[in-house]
Amino acid sequence: FKCDWRSDVCSSDLEADLKLRGPGELLGQQQSGAMKLRFGDLAEDLPLIRQARESLPEAGIVHTLHEYLPICHRNGQMVRVADGERCLEASPRRCHQCFPEHSEAEFRRRKRSILSSFSHVDLFIAPSRFLLERYVDWGISRRRIRLEEYGRQPFAAPVPLQSSRARNRIGYFGQLNHFKGVDVLLKEIGRAHV
């Protein structure tokens, strides 16, 4: 897998690499073109990017931007605390207004720390133009972010299975937090099975 964001050249054969070498390890010896790194806790997980760069200096590090957690201290929601309005500009002043218990200097340090870890990433993938623009506004160079609309090209719908048995399947994609309504979904599923 090779990616040079400076010249906008990015080529890969990830599926062939995955078949050839398997899923790989984050900081082990087994490498692969398909490595998933999910952040659960920014403070604990961001140093993994730096660690990966130090352990594998020649490896291309690609990070998919799924949400705004690095930008917004309010669980990545980009919503103002006082009035519930959308927040399109994360600045130390505005963040301090939402969280007065933290100084503007603390928010500047938070941003610097996250951007420092992100400096080890070769390429970011953004699933939407809106998300891409928020990260550009926040300080990541546009040339380091590729837009890939929700990760995949459209594909043909699968042929429906012929079955007389009723099938109930529900998929949930997104962060598991109280802002996303997972609790409502689970409560309704529980009621449906009663």
Side-chain angles (χ1 to χ4, degrees), residues 1 3 10 12 14 61-67 121-129 131-132 135 140 142-152:
F1 176 70
C3 196
C10 193
S12 68
L14 295 179
I61 297 177
V62 179
H63 175 66
T64 303
L65 302 167
H66 290 287
E67 28 70 351
V121 174
D122 296 303
L123 178 72
F124 293 93
I125 305 293
S128 73
R129 175 133 338 259
L131 186 136
L132 183 150
Y135 276 93
I140 296 177
R142 184 179 304 276
R143 356 175 266 196
R144 294 179 61 208
I145 307 176
R146 293 246 197 266
L147 175 65
E148 188 171 322
E149 292 284 345
Y150 294 96
R152 297 280 176 229

Side-chain angles (χ1 to χ4, degrees), residues 88-121:
L88 299 179
E89 175 200 353
S91 69
R93 180 186 55 77
R94 288 176 61 85
C95 294
H96 171 68
Q97 289 170 349
C98 283
F99 297 94
E101 67 275 17
H102 298 289
S103 70
E104 289 184 32
E106 286 177 88
F107 284 108
R108 277 192 288 280
R109 281 193 300 274
R110 178 185 186 275
K111 180 178 179 179
R112 251 192 329 267
S113 173
I114 293 168
L115 287 175
S116 173
S117 290
F118 279 0
S119 72
H120 298 285
V121 174

